[in-house]
Structure formats: structure tokens, C-alpha cells
Amino acid sequence: MSDATPSLPLYNRSLLPESQRERVDVVLVSPRNPLNIGAVARAMANFGFTQLTVVAPYEPHWREARSAVGAPELLTNARETTSLAEAVRDCSLVLGTGTLTHRKAEQPVIRLDNLAPLAAEALGRGERIAVVFGPEKHGLTREDLSFCHHLIEIPTDPRQPSMNLGQAAAVCLYELATRVGPSPGKSSSPKDRTHPETKTEESKAVEKPAPTSGNLDILAGLIEDVMVAAKYSPATMQEANRHDLRLILRRLKLSAADHRRTLGLFRRILWRLKR
């Protein structure tokens, strides 16, 4: 008999590489029931995800949830933040989840089964991804979704469109863990095995990570300052304009270079206005 280490079971070989799973953040916004938080942690452990963030939890003792079977350390190591903006600050692709039954989406909507190519592209550029779940009673608010690049719609029967938090997390994480596959541009064909130093400047630019959510918020704050200085945004409209700016900047899909240029442009405009 061979002394070689047994290979992984076939059902584990198809999982997303661990190095990429570590760049997927699961974010729970204001969850109320610790048992649901534990169920999400268990689903994360099932598919090898480890990065959990809980935003403004309702129950202070959520880390003690008994439903986190096989994943107590995941709750212990989870990050807690006071705002969604802080939770997704380092992510370049933020994916909100929910149903369209009682809302009109303001951002592009993708069905869960069409998520894989989008996630593969972001992970292939070395970006962080956040998958955001809302409170059990009403889901993500319009304000929460303004921080999201896309809204993921989970296909469900119209007679029962909503899902339990743990179940919703499980099906989303299954899609990410098993269907993302190799990232675009990473195939093994001779054309794609070019030495890094011989790549063109254009291909290098394409591979650079997109601006993070935190970087977009910095730009949005600067544009808001310009709007106020130019007397374009009266006090009564500032909150609505702030919401719209977040949405617009995420729809534009700015490259890192375009983000820097736009920052420089608005800084110059603000300097001129304040003179």
C-alpha cells in the first residue's frame, strides 16, 4: 500500500481556493437573533469561509450562539462594527442581498446563479468581496443598499419570497465556493502563460484592483464638499444627494487610475471655489 497522503474527497476539490475564500467577507447588518448569526457561521464553516463582520447587532451576547455548530471560533474572531460603511470599507465589490417583491432596485440586479463570473473577475484582480445580509424582519434598507455595487436576487417561489438568514447565507456561499472557478485570464493555455515582465501596460492596468468602498466614500465626501461650496446642495437636500452620490460612483465602475484623477479634479475645483 502507498504511504502517500490521501487526496481530498471529490466534493471538496471543487471549492474556491482558500486564498480567495479569505477575501470574501460575510456582513450581517443589525441581526436580531443570535441563533441566526450562529447558523450563518455554521454555513460559512461548511464552505470554508472565515471572515464574518456583524454590524450593530441587537443582542450583545451574539458570540455565544449555540447554533454555530462546529464554528465557535468563527464567532469569537468575528469583527463587530457600528456602521455598514466601516464594515465594507476595504471591499471593492459589495453585494447586497434581498428580494424585489417590495422594492425597486437602484443598483444593477443579478440573479444568484449569475454571480460567479462577477465574483471571479473581482477575485482575479486581488480584490475583497463583501456579501451583505440585512435584518431578519425587513432586510437591507435603501440606505444600506446605497453602499452596494449590485443586488443579488435569490430565485424563490413568489408565494414565499423571503428566506431565513442562515439559509440565504448558505445558498450564496455555496455559489461562491463551488461555481466561481478559475478567474478570467488565468487559463493554462500558452497564450496566458506570458511572463509577468512581458505583459503590456494595458493588460497590467486591467488587472489592477478597483477602488475600495472606502475610497469611493472619500471621493463622494469631496464631491459633496464641492456641491456645498458651489451652493448646489442646500441643507434640505444634502442627505438625499449623499445617497445618490454613493449609488452613482458605484455604478460608474471607476478604475483605480480614474479614481485618482477624479479626486485630483474635484480637489482643484474645491480649492478654486474657496479662494
Side-chain angles (χ1 to χ4, degrees):
M1 296 179 64
S2 172
D3 294 330
T5 303
S7 60
L8 289 173
L10 286 175
Y11 58 80
N12 280 340
R13 292 182 193 175
S14 62
L15 290 182
L16 191 68
E18 184 177 356
S19 60
Q20 293 192 336
R21 278 179 278 159
E22 290 176 349
R23 286 190 276 113
V24 177
D25 295 344
V26 176
V27 181
L28 308 182
V29 179
S30 301
R32 298 181 64 88
N33 190 337
L35 293 178
N36 286 335
I37 302 175
V40 172
R42 182 175 183 177
M44 292 176 63
N46 284 143
F47 299 110
F49 295 96
T50 59
Q51 307 302 312
L52 173 64
T53 301
V54 180
V55 180
Y58 182 81
E59 169 59 57
H61 305 296
W62 58 271
R63 294 184 192 271
E64 302 168 11
R66 295 182 180 179
S67 53
V69 179
E73 71 287 347
L74 206 152
L75 289 184
T76 301
N77 298 328
R79 185 168 60 125
E80 182 174 341
T81 66
T82 58
S83 69
L84 179 56
E86 180 185 357
V88 301
R89 178 180 55 197
D90 298 326
C91 299
S92 298
L93 177 62
V94 182
L95 303 163
T97 59
T99 175
L100 297 176
T101 304
H102 303 294
R103 68 158 53 96
K104 182 179 179 181
E106 297 178 290
Q107 51 282 115
V109 178
I110 53 173
R111 278 173 47 117
L112 179 60
D113 48 352
N114 293 327
L115 171 61
L118 185 68
E121 184 178 353
L123 292 172
R125 290 193 298 262
E127 298 171 4
R128 293 198 71 83
I129 294 177
V131 186
V132 186
F133 300 88
E136 295 91 331
K137 283 191 173 182
H138 54 72
L140 296 172
T141 65
R142 181 171 178 263
E143 183 72 5
D144 294 333
L145 287 170
S146 69
F147 289 94
C148 300
H149 296 81
H150 296 269
L151 173 64
I152 301 175
E153 182 188 17
I154 302 175
T156 54
D157 192 294
R159 293 169 294 184
Q160 180 56 283
S162 65
M163 295 184 70
N164 171 271
L165 181 58
Q167 294 173 329
V171 296
C172 288
L173 295 176
Y174 173 80
E175 286 291 323
L176 287 171
T178 65
R179 302 198 189 279
V180 169
S183 302
K186 302 294 182 182
S187 66
S188 58
S189 64
K191 180 180 178 181
D192 295 320
R193 291 200 293 265
T194 308
H195 192 278
E197 294 180 0
T198 66
K199 290 184 178 180
T200 64
E201 291 301 320
E202 182 179 357
S203 64
K204 289 180 181 179
V206 171
E207 293 176 0
K208 289 183 179 178
T212 64
S213 184
N215 287 337
L216 292 179
D217 287 341
I218 291 172
L219 177 56
L222 176 59
I223 296 174
E224 184 180 0
D225 289 343
V226 170
M227 293 166 70
V228 171
K231 303 189 186 316
Y232 177 85
S233 183
T236 55
M237 290 296 296
Q238 285 178 14
E239 184 175 347
N241 288 336
R242 191 174 300 125
H243 172 274
D244 291 345
L245 275 174
R246 281 198 296 267
L247 284 171
I248 290 170
L249 290 177
R250 284 158 177 81
R251 287 177 189 153
L252 287 176
K253 300 180 181 179
L254 295 173
S255 67
D258 287 341
H259 175 264
R260 289 194 303 272
R261 294 187 187 102
T262 307
L263 268 176
L265 169 65
F266 279 97
R267 282 172 178 159
R268 183 69 177 178
I269 292 173
L270 184 60
W271 179 79
R272 295 289 295 180
L273 287 171
K274 287 186 173 182
R275 282 190 67 184

